[in-house]
């Protein structure tokens, strides 16, 4: 019984980590659009999508913050501005995994020398 549970949990973890790479930059486009609408306080904003974008970006940053050299006074608004602009300015990268795209945006803005 324990062996079946262990195998089931192992497969679930492996399947979950593999599926993370199916979320790419194209999948961030609509949530980013809604995030931009939220910034403008557009009454037609889909806040679920907007906060999904924000949460995804924060999650990637929190999981990988040791890879960046952000300033001491770095904040959430700056993080969102950097990532949003990078994604909007680089449509040729939209097919890349979303976490790599977010990480590349932050590294480009705050490289470690």
């Amino acid at each position: 019984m324990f062996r079946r549970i262990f195998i089931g949990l192992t497969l679930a973890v492996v399947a979950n980590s593999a599926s993370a790479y199916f979320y790419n930059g194209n999948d961030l486009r609509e949530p980013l659009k809604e995030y931009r609408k939220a910034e403008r306080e557009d009454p037609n904003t889909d806040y679920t999508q907007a906060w999904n974008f924000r949460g995804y970006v924060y999650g990637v940053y929190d999981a990988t913050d040791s890879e960046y050299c952000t300033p001491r006074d770095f904040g959430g608004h700056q993080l969102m501005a950097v990532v949003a602009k990078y994604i909007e300015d680089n449509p040729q990268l939209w097919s890349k995994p979303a976490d790599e795209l977010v990480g590349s945006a932050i590294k480009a803005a705050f490289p470690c020398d």
Side-chain angles (χ1 to χ4, degrees):
M1 178 68 166
F2 177 76
R3 185 175 178 181
R4 277 193 235 161
I5 292 172
F6 177 76
I7 291 171
L9 288 173
T10 302
L11 290 174
V13 169
V14 169
N16 189 27
S17 63
S19 67
Y21 293 104
F22 289 110
Y23 196 65
N24 65 31
N26 285 304
D27 297 314
L28 294 176
R29 290 174 54 214
E30 191 61 34
L32 170 54
K33 189 183 312 180
E34 294 302 318
Y35 179 78
R36 289 296 201 193
K37 286 168 60 175
E39 285 183 315
R40 294 188 310 268
E41 298 181 7
D42 183 325
N44 298 313
T45 300
D46 178 347
Y47 283 97
T48 300
Q49 287 277 358
W51 300 143
N52 281 343
F53 177 73
R54 183 180 174 128
Y56 187 83
V57 171
Y58 279 2
V60 170
Y61 178 79
D62 285 346
T64 58
D65 67 337
S66 64
E67 297 177 20
Y68 319 115
C69 294
T70 52
R72 226 179 237 289
D73 60 348
F74 181 71
H77 289 294
Q78 191 174 7
L79 173 65
M80 298 308 297
V82 163
V83 173
K85 181 169 179 14
Y86 185 88
I87 292 171
E88 291 167 340
D89 290 351
N90 292 286
Q92 73 278 10
L93 302 177
W94 291 350
S95 62
K96 288 188 166 263
D99 63 326
E100 288 180 21
L101 191 56
V102 171
S104 294
I106 303 166
K107 283 179 187 174
F110 304 103
C112 295
D113 297 325

